[in-house]
Coordinates of all heavy atoms in Angstrom, one line a residue:
M10 N 42.4 12.6 -29.1 CA 41.0 12.5 -29.5 C 40.4 11.1 -29.1 O 39.4 11.0 -28.4 CB 40.8 12.8 -31.0 CG 39.3 12.9 -31.4 SD 38.4 14.3 -30.6 CE 36.8 14.0 -31.2
F11 N 41.0 10.1 -29.5 CA 40.6 8.7 -29.2 C 40.7 8.4 -27.7 O 39.8 7.8 -27.2 CB 41.4 7.7 -30.0 CG 40.9 6.3 -29.9 CD1 39.7 5.9 -30.5 CD2 41.5 5.3 -29.1 CE1 39.2 4.6 -30.4 CE2 41.1 4.1 -29.0 CZ 39.9 3.7 -29.6
G12 N 41.7 8.9 -27.1 CA 41.9 8.7 -25.7 C 40.8 9.3 -24.9 O 40.3 8.7 -23.9
K13 N 40.3 10.5 -25.3 CA 39.2 11.1 -24.6 C 37.9 10.3 -24.7 O 37.2 10.2 -23.7 CB 38.9 12.5 -25.3 CG 39.6 13.6 -24.6 CD 39.2 15.0 -25.1 CE 39.9 16.1 -24.4 NZ 39.5 17.4 -25.0
I14 N 37.6 9.7 -25.9 CA 36.4 8.9 -26.0 C 36.5 7.6 -25.1 O 35.5 7.3 -24.4 CB 36.3 8.4 -27.5 CG1 36.0 9.6 -28.4 CG2 35.2 7.4 -27.7 CD1 36.1 9.4 -29.9
V15 N 37.7 7.0 -25.1 CA 37.8 5.8 -24.2 C 37.6 6.2 -22.7 O 37.0 5.5 -22.0 CB 39.2 5.2 -24.4 CG1 39.5 4.1 -23.3 CG2 39.4 4.6 -25.8
F16 N 38.1 7.4 -22.3 CA 38.0 7.9 -21.0 C 36.5 8.1 -20.6 O 36.0 7.6 -19.5 CB 38.7 9.2 -20.8 CG 38.5 9.9 -19.5 CD1 39.1 9.4 -18.3 CD2 37.6 11.0 -19.4 CE1 38.9 10.1 -17.1 CE2 37.4 11.6 -18.2 CZ 38.0 11.1 -17.0
F17 N 35.7 8.7 -21.5 CA 34.3 8.9 -21.2 C 33.5 7.6 -21.2 O 32.6 7.5 -20.4 CB 33.7 9.9 -22.2 CG 34.1 11.3 -21.9 CD1 34.9 12.1 -22.6 CD2 33.5 11.9 -20.7 CE1 35.2 13.4 -22.3 CE2 33.8 13.2 -20.4 CZ 34.7 14.0 -21.1
V18 N 33.9 6.6 -22.1 CA 33.2 5.3 -22.1 C 33.5 4.6 -20.8 O 32.5 4.1 -20.2 CB 33.7 4.5 -23.3 CG1 33.3 3.0 -23.1 CG2 33.1 5.1 -24.6
L19 N 34.7 4.7 -20.3 CA 35.0 4.0 -19.0 C 34.3 4.7 -17.9 O 33.8 4.0 -17.0 CB 36.5 4.0 -18.8 CG 37.4 3.0 -19.6 CD1 38.9 3.3 -19.5 CD2 37.0 1.6 -19.2
L20 N 34.3 6.0 -17.9 CA 33.6 6.8 -16.9 C 32.1 6.4 -16.9 O 31.5 6.2 -15.8 CB 33.7 8.3 -17.2 CG 33.3 9.2 -16.0 CD1 34.3 9.2 -14.9 CD2 33.1 10.6 -16.5
G21 N 31.5 6.3 -18.1 CA 30.1 5.9 -18.2 C 29.8 4.5 -17.6 O 28.9 4.3 -16.9
L22 N 30.7 3.6 -17.9 CA 30.6 2.2 -17.4 C 30.7 2.2 -15.9 O 30.0 1.5 -15.2 CB 31.7 1.4 -18.0 CG 31.4 0.6 -19.3 CD1 32.6 0.0 -19.9 CD2 30.4 -0.5 -19.0
L23 N 31.6 3.0 -15.3 CA 31.9 3.1 -13.9 C 30.6 3.6 -13.2 O 30.1 3.0 -12.2 CB 33.0 4.0 -13.6 CG 33.5 4.0 -12.1 CD1 34.2 2.8 -11.7 CD2 34.3 5.2 -11.8
L24 N 30.0 4.7 -13.8 CA 28.8 5.2 -13.2 C 27.6 4.2 -13.3 O 26.8 4.1 -12.4 CB 28.4 6.5 -13.9 CG 29.3 7.8 -13.6 CD1 29.0 8.9 -14.6 CD2 29.0 8.2 -12.2
F25 N 27.6 3.5 -14.4 CA 26.5 2.5 -14.6 C 26.6 1.4 -13.5 O 25.6 1.0 -12.9 CB 26.6 1.9 -16.0 CG 25.6 0.9 -16.3 CD1 24.3 1.2 -16.6 CD2 25.9 -0.5 -16.3 CE1 23.3 0.3 -16.9 CE2 25.0 -1.4 -16.6 CZ 23.7 -1.1 -16.9
V26 N 27.9 0.9 -13.3 CA 28.1 -0.2 -12.3 C 27.7 0.3 -10.9 O 27.0 -0.4 -10.1 CB 29.6 -0.6 -12.3 CG1 29.9 -1.5 -11.1 CG2 29.8 -1.4 -13.6
L27 N 28.1 1.6 -10.6 CA 27.8 2.2 -9.3 C 26.2 2.3 -9.1 O 25.7 2.0 -8.0 CB 28.4 3.5 -9.1 CG 29.9 3.5 -8.8 CD1 30.5 4.9 -8.9 CD2 30.2 2.9 -7.4
W28 N 25.6 2.7 -10.2 CA 24.1 2.9 -10.2 C 23.4 1.6 -10.0 O 22.4 1.5 -9.2 CB 23.7 3.6 -11.5 CG 22.2 3.7 -11.6 CD1 21.4 4.6 -10.9 CD2 21.4 3.0 -12.5 NE1 20.1 4.4 -11.4 CE2 20.1 3.5 -12.3 CE3 21.6 2.0 -13.5 CZ2 19.0 3.0 -13.0 CZ3 20.5 1.5 -14.2 CH2 19.2 2.0 -14.0
Q29 N 23.9 0.5 -10.6 CA 23.4 -0.8 -10.5 C 23.5 -1.3 -9.0 O 22.6 -1.9 -8.5 CB 24.1 -1.8 -11.4 CG 23.7 -1.6 -12.9 CD 22.4 -2.4 -13.2 OE1 22.2 -3.6 -12.9 NE2 21.4 -1.7 -13.8
K30 N 24.7 -1.1 -8.4 CA 24.9 -1.5 -7.1 C 24.0 -0.8 -6.1 O 23.5 -1.4 -5.1 CB 26.4 -1.2 -6.7 CG 27.3 -2.3 -7.1 CD 28.7 -2.1 -6.5 CE 29.7 -3.2 -6.9 NZ 31.0 -2.9 -6.5
K31 N 23.7 0.5 -6.4 CA 22.8 1.3 -5.5 C 21.4 0.8 -5.6 O 20.7 0.8 -4.7 CB 22.9 2.7 -6.0 CG 23.6 3.7 -5.0 CD 23.4 5.1 -5.4 CE 23.9 6.1 -4.4 NZ 23.7 7.4 -4.8
R32 N 21.0 0.3 -6.8 CA 19.7 -0.1 -7.1 C 19.3 -1.4 -6.4 O 18.2 -1.7 -6.1 CB 19.4 -0.2 -8.6 CG 18.5 0.8 -9.1 CD 18.2 0.6 -10.6 NE 17.2 -0.5 -10.7 CZ 16.7 -0.8 -11.9 NH1 17.0 -0.2 -13.0 NH2 15.8 -1.8 -12.0
M33 N 20.3 -2.3 -6.3 CA 20.1 -3.7 -5.9 C 19.3 -3.8 -4.6 O 18.3 -4.5 -4.5 CB 21.4 -4.4 -5.8 CG 22.0 -4.8 -7.1 SD 21.3 -6.2 -7.9 CE 22.4 -6.5 -9.2
P34 N 19.7 -3.2 -3.5 CA 19.0 -3.4 -2.2 C 17.6 -2.8 -2.2 O 16.7 -3.3 -1.6 CB 19.9 -2.6 -1.2 CG 20.9 -1.8 -1.9 CD 20.9 -2.3 -3.3
K35 N 17.4 -1.8 -3.0 CA 16.0 -1.2 -3.2 C 15.1 -2.2 -3.8 O 13.9 -2.3 -3.3 CB 16.1 0.1 -4.0 CG 15.2 1.2 -3.5 CD 15.3 2.4 -4.4 CE 14.3 3.4 -4.0 NZ 14.2 4.6 -4.9
V36 N 15.5 -2.9 -4.8 CA 14.7 -3.9 -5.5 C 14.3 -5.0 -4.5 O 13.1 -5.4 -4.5 CB 15.4 -4.5 -6.7 CG1 14.6 -5.6 -7.3 CG2 15.6 -3.4 -7.8
K37 N 15.3 -5.4 -3.7 CA 15.0 -6.5 -2.7 C 13.9 -6.0 -1.7 O 13.1 -6.8 -1.3 CB 16.3 -6.8 -2.0 CG 17.0 -8.0 -2.7 CD 18.2 -8.4 -1.8 CE 19.0 -9.6 -2.5 NZ 20.2 -9.9 -1.8
Q38 N 14.0 -4.8 -1.3 CA 13.0 -4.2 -0.3 C 11.6 -4.2 -0.9 O 10.6 -4.5 -0.3 CB 13.4 -2.8 0.1 CG 14.3 -2.8 1.3 CD 14.6 -1.4 1.7 OE1 14.2 -0.4 1.1 NE2 15.3 -1.3 2.8
E39 N 11.5 -3.9 -2.2 CA 10.2 -3.8 -2.9 C 9.5 -5.2 -3.0 O 8.3 -5.3 -3.1 CB 10.4 -3.2 -4.3 CG 10.4 -1.7 -4.2 CD 10.9 -1.0 -5.5 OE1 11.0 -1.8 -6.5 OE2 11.0 0.2 -5.5
E40 N 10.4 -6.3 -3.1 CA 9.9 -7.6 -3.2 C 9.2 -8.1 -2.0 O 8.4 -9.0 -2.0 CB 11.0 -8.6 -3.7 CG 11.2 -8.5 -5.2 CD 12.5 -9.3 -5.6 OE1 13.1 -9.9 -4.7 OE2 12.8 -9.2 -6.8
S41 N 9.6 -7.6 -0.8 CA 9.1 -8.1 0.5 C 7.6 -7.8 0.6 O 7.1 -6.8 0.1 CB 9.8 -7.5 1.6 OG 9.6 -6.1 1.6
E42 N 6.8 -8.7 1.2 CA 5.4 -8.6 1.3 C 5.0 -7.4 2.1 O 5.5 -7.2 3.2 CB 4.8 -9.9 1.8 CG 4.7 -10.9 0.8 CD 4.1 -12.2 1.3 OE1 3.1 -12.1 2.2 OE2 4.5 -13.3 0.9
P43 N 4.0 -6.6 1.7 CA 3.5 -5.5 2.5 C 2.8 -6.0 3.8 O 2.1 -7.0 3.7 CB 2.6 -4.8 1.6 CG 2.1 -5.7 0.6 CD 3.3 -6.7 0.5
V44 N 3.1 -5.3 4.9 CA 2.5 -5.7 6.2 C 1.1 -5.1 6.3 O 0.9 -3.9 6.1 CB 3.4 -5.3 7.4 CG1 2.8 -5.8 8.7 CG2 4.8 -5.9 7.2
E45 N 0.1 -5.9 6.6 CA -1.3 -5.5 6.8 C -1.4 -4.6 8.0 O -1.0 -5.0 9.1 CB -2.2 -6.7 6.9 CG -3.7 -6.3 6.8 CD -4.2 -6.1 5.4 OE1 -3.4 -6.5 4.4 OE2 -5.3 -5.6 5.2
P46 N -1.9 -3.4 7.9 CA -2.0 -2.5 9.1 C -3.0 -3.0 10.1 O -4.0 -3.5 9.7 CB -2.4 -1.1 8.5 CG -3.0 -1.5 7.2 CD -2.3 -2.7 6.7
E47 N -2.7 -2.9 11.4 CA -3.5 -3.4 12.4 C -4.8 -2.6 12.5 O -5.8 -3.1 13.1 CB -2.8 -3.3 13.8 CG -2.1 -4.6 14.1 CD -1.4 -4.5 15.5 OE1 -2.2 -4.4 16.4 OE2 -0.2 -4.6 15.6
A48 N -4.9 -1.4 11.9 CA -6.1 -0.6 11.9 C -7.2 -1.3 11.2 O -8.4 -1.0 11.4 CB -5.8 0.8 11.3
K49 N -6.9 -2.2 10.2 CA -7.9 -2.8 9.4 C -8.5 -4.0 10.1 O -8.4 -5.1 9.7 CB -7.3 -3.3 8.0 CG -7.1 -2.1 7.1 CD -7.8 -2.3 5.8 CE -7.9 -1.0 5.0 NZ -8.6 -1.2 3.7
K50 N -9.2 -3.7 11.2 CA -9.8 -4.8 12.0 C -11.2 -5.1 11.3 O -11.9 -4.2 11.0 CB -10.1 -4.2 13.4 CG -10.6 -5.2 14.4 CD -11.0 -4.5 15.7 CE -11.9 -5.4 16.5 NZ -12.6 -4.6 17.6
M51 N -11.4 -6.4 11.2 CA -12.6 -6.8 10.5 C -13.8 -7.0 11.5 O -13.6 -7.6 12.5 CB -12.4 -8.2 9.8 CG -11.3 -8.1 8.7 SD -11.7 -6.9 7.4 CE -12.8 -7.8 6.4
V52 N -14.9 -6.5 11.1 CA -16.1 -6.6 12.0 C -17.3 -7.0 11.1 O -17.2 -6.9 9.9 CB -16.5 -5.2 12.7 CG1 -15.5 -4.9 13.8 CG2 -16.5 -4.1 11.7
Q53 N -18.3 -7.5 11.7 CA -19.5 -8.0 11.0 C -20.7 -7.1 11.2 O -20.9 -6.6 12.2 CB -19.9 -9.4 11.6 CG -20.9 -10.1 10.7 CD -21.2 -11.5 11.2 OE1 -20.9 -11.9 12.3 NE2 -21.8 -12.3 10.3
C54 N -21.3 -6.8 10.1 CA -22.5 -5.9 10.1 C -23.6 -6.6 10.8 O -24.0 -7.7 10.4 CB -22.9 -5.6 8.6 SG -24.3 -4.5 8.5
P55 N -24.3 -6.0 11.8 CA -25.4 -6.6 12.5 C -26.6 -6.7 11.7 O -27.6 -7.5 12.1 CB -25.5 -5.7 13.7 CG -25.0 -4.4 13.3 CD -23.9 -4.7 12.3
V56 N -26.7 -6.0 10.6 CA -27.9 -6.0 9.8 C -27.9 -7.1 8.7 O -28.7 -8.0 8.6 CB -28.2 -4.6 9.2 CG1 -29.4 -4.7 8.3 CG2 -28.4 -3.6 10.3
C57 N -26.8 -7.0 7.8 CA -26.8 -8.0 6.7 C -25.7 -9.1 6.9 O -25.7 -10.0 6.1 CB -26.5 -7.2 5.4 SG -24.9 -6.4 5.4
G58 N -24.9 -9.0 7.9 CA -23.9 -10.1 8.2 C -22.7 -10.0 7.4 O -21.9 -10.9 7.5
V59 N -22.5 -9.0 6.6 CA -21.3 -8.8 5.8 C -20.1 -8.5 6.7 O -20.2 -7.7 7.6 CB -21.5 -7.8 4.7 CG1 -20.3 -7.0 4.3 CG2 -22.1 -8.4 3.5
H60 N -18.9 -9.0 6.4 CA -17.6 -8.7 7.1 C -17.0 -7.5 6.3 O -16.8 -7.6 5.1 CB -16.7 -9.9 7.2 CG -17.1 -10.9 8.2 ND1 -18.0 -11.9 7.9 CD2 -16.8 -11.0 9.5 CE1 -18.2 -12.6 9.0 NE2 -17.5 -12.1 10.0
F61 N -16.5 -6.5 7.1 CA -15.9 -5.4 6.4 C -14.9 -4.8 7.4 O -14.9 -5.1 8.6 CB -16.9 -4.3 6.1 CG -17.7 -3.8 7.2 CD1 -17.4 -2.6 7.9 CD2 -18.8 -4.5 7.7 CE1 -18.1 -2.2 9.0 CE2 -19.6 -4.1 8.8 CZ -19.2 -2.9 9.4
A62 N -13.9 -3.9 6.9 CA -12.9 -3.3 7.7 C -13.6 -2.2 8.6 O -14.4 -1.4 8.1 CB -11.9 -2.6 6.9
E63 N -13.3 -2.3 9.9 CA -14.0 -1.4 10.8 C -13.8 0.1 10.4 O -14.7 0.9 10.6 CB -13.4 -1.6 12.2 CG -14.2 -1.0 13.3 CD -13.7 -1.4 14.7 OE1 -12.4 -1.5 14.9 OE2 -14.5 -1.5 15.6
V64 N -12.6 0.4 9.9 CA -12.4 1.8 9.5 C -13.3 2.3 8.3 O -13.5 3.5 8.2 CB -10.9 2.1 9.1 CG1 -10.0 2.0 10.3 CG2 -10.4 1.0 8.1
D65 N -13.8 1.3 7.5 CA -14.6 1.7 6.4 C -16.1 1.7 6.8 O -16.9 2.1 5.9 CB -14.4 0.7 5.3 CG -13.0 0.7 4.7 OD1 -12.4 1.7 4.8 OD2 -12.5 -0.4 4.2
G66 N -16.4 1.3 8.0 CA -17.8 1.2 8.4 C -18.5 2.6 8.8 O -17.8 3.6 8.8
V67 N -19.8 2.5 9.0 CA -20.5 3.7 9.4 C -20.9 3.6 10.9 O -21.5 2.6 11.3 CB -21.8 3.8 8.6 CG1 -22.6 5.1 9.0 CG2 -21.5 3.9 7.1
W68 N -20.4 4.5 11.7 CA -20.7 4.5 13.1 C -22.0 5.2 13.5 O -22.1 6.4 13.2 CB -19.5 5.1 13.9 CG -18.3 4.2 14.0 CD1 -17.4 4.0 13.0 CD2 -17.9 3.4 15.1 NE1 -16.4 3.1 13.5 CE2 -16.7 2.8 14.8 CE3 -18.5 3.2 16.4 CZ2 -16.1 1.9 15.7 CZ3 -17.9 2.3 17.2 CH2 -16.7 1.7 16.9
I69 N -22.9 4.4 14.1 CA -24.1 5.0 14.6 C -24.3 4.6 16.0 O -24.5 3.4 16.3 CB -25.4 4.6 13.7 CG1 -25.1 4.9 12.2 CG2 -26.6 5.3 14.2 CD1 -25.2 6.4 11.8
S70 N -24.3 5.5 17.0 CA -24.5 5.3 18.4 C -23.8 4.0 18.9 O -24.4 3.1 19.5 CB -26.0 5.2 18.8 OG -26.7 4.3 18.0
G71 N -22.5 3.9 18.7 CA -21.6 2.9 19.2 C -21.6 1.6 18.4 O -20.9 0.7 18.8
T72 N -22.4 1.5 17.3 CA -22.4 0.3 16.5 C -21.9 0.6 15.1 O -22.2 1.7 14.6 CB -23.9 -0.3 16.4 OG1 -24.4 -0.3 17.7 CG2 -23.9 -1.7 15.9
T73 N -21.1 -0.3 14.6 CA -20.6 -0.1 13.2 C -21.4 -0.9 12.2 O -21.6 -2.1 12.4 CB -19.1 -0.6 13.1 OG1 -18.5 -0.3 14.4 CG2 -18.4 0.1 12.0
Y74 N -21.8 -0.3 11.2 CA -22.6 -0.9 10.1 C -21.7 -0.8 8.8 O -20.9 0.1 8.6 CB -23.9 -0.2 9.9 CG -24.8 -0.2 11.1 CD1 -24.8 0.9 11.9 CD2 -25.6 -1.3 11.4 CE1 -25.6 0.9 13.1 CE2 -26.3 -1.3 12.6 CZ -26.3 -0.2 13.4 OH -27.1 -0.2 14.6
C75 N -22.0 -1.8 7.9 CA -21.2 -1.8 6.6 C -21.5 -0.6 5.7 O -20.6 -0.2 5.0 CB -21.4 -3.1 5.9 SG -23.0 -3.3 5.1
S76 N -22.7 -0.1 5.8 CA -23.1 1.0 4.9 C -24.1 1.9 5.6 O -24.7 1.4 6.6 CB -23.6 0.5 3.6 OG -24.8 -0.3 3.8
Q77 N -24.4 3.0 5.1 CA -25.4 3.9 5.6 C -26.8 3.3 5.5 O -27.6 3.5 6.3 CB -25.3 5.3 4.8 CG -26.2 6.4 5.4 CD -25.8 6.8 6.8 OE1 -24.6 7.1 7.0 NE2 -26.7 6.8 7.7
E78 N -26.9 2.5 4.4 CA -28.2 1.8 4.2 C -28.5 0.9 5.4 O -29.7 0.9 5.8 CB -28.1 1.0 2.9 CG -29.4 0.8 2.2 CD -29.2 -0.1 0.9 OE1 -28.2 0.0 0.2 OE2 -30.1 -1.0 0.7
C79 N -27.6 0.1 5.8 CA -27.8 -0.9 6.9 C -28.0 -0.1 8.2 O -28.8 -0.5 9.0 CB -26.6 -1.8 7.1 SG -26.6 -3.1 5.9
A80 N -27.3 1.0 8.4 CA -27.5 1.9 9.6 C -28.9 2.4 9.6 O -29.5 2.4 10.7 CB -26.5 3.0 9.6
D81 N -29.4 2.8 8.5 CA -30.8 3.3 8.4 C -31.8 2.2 8.7 O -32.8 2.4 9.4 CB -31.0 3.9 7.0 CG -30.3 5.2 6.8 OD1 -29.8 5.8 7.7 OD2 -30.1 5.6 5.6
K82 N -31.5 1.0 8.2 CA -32.4 -0.1 8.4 C -32.5 -0.4 9.9 O -33.5 -0.7 10.5 CB -31.8 -1.4 7.7 CG -32.4 -1.5 6.3 CD -32.0 -2.9 5.7 CE -32.1 -2.9 4.2 NZ -31.5 -4.1 3.7
A83 N -31.3 -0.4 10.6 CA -31.2 -0.7 12.0 C -32.0 0.3 12.8 O -32.7 0.0 13.8 CB -29.8 -0.8 12.5
Q84 N -31.8 1.6 12.5 CA -32.4 2.7 13.2 C -33.9 2.6 13.0 O -34.7 2.9 13.9 CB -31.9 4.0 12.7 CG -30.4 4.3 13.0 CD -30.1 4.3 14.5 OE1 -30.6 5.0 15.2 NE2 -29.2 3.3 14.9
G85 N -34.3 2.3 11.7 CA -35.8 2.1 11.4 C -36.4 1.0 12.2 O -37.5 1.2 12.7
A86 N -35.7 -0.1 12.3 CA -36.2 -1.3 13.0 C -36.4 -1.0 14.5 O -37.4 -1.4 15.1 CB -35.3 -2.5 12.9
K87 N -35.6 -0.1 15.1 CA -35.7 0.3 16.5 C -37.0 1.1 16.7 O -37.6 1.0 17.7 CB -34.5 1.1 16.9 CG -33.3 0.2 17.5 CD -32.2 1.0 17.9 CE -31.0 0.2 18.2 NZ -29.8 1.0 18.4
R88 N -37.2 2.0 15.8 CA -38.4 2.9 15.9 C -39.7 2.1 15.8 O -40.7 2.5 16.4 CB -38.3 4.0 14.8 CG -37.5 5.2 15.2 CD -37.5 6.2 14.1 NE -36.2 6.7 13.9 CZ -35.6 6.8 12.7 NH1 -36.2 6.5 11.6 NH2 -34.4 7.3 12.6
D89 N -39.8 1.1 15.0 CA -41.0 0.4 14.8 C -41.5 -0.4 16.0 O -40.8 -0.8 16.8 CB -40.9 -0.7 13.7 CG -40.7 0.1 12.3 OD1 -41.2 1.3 12.3 OD2 -40.2 -0.5 11.4
Ligands
LIG112 ZN1 -24.8 -4.3 6.3

């Protein structure tokens, strides 16, 4: 009876050590700094001068604006 308990305790310890060893390299990978994707190119809004990521901008006839509001302003200015 006692021998069985010792066996299972040792087995548990062995599994715990193996699990810890498996976890180690993963933790190191998570600590490394994330690489900024090249898609996030920064551009300047021609209306208000704000810098923003090109992918987040509003495209109107080949020009990128920071928001729909600025795009509307630029379109309105052209018409006047
Ligand atoms: Zn703007």
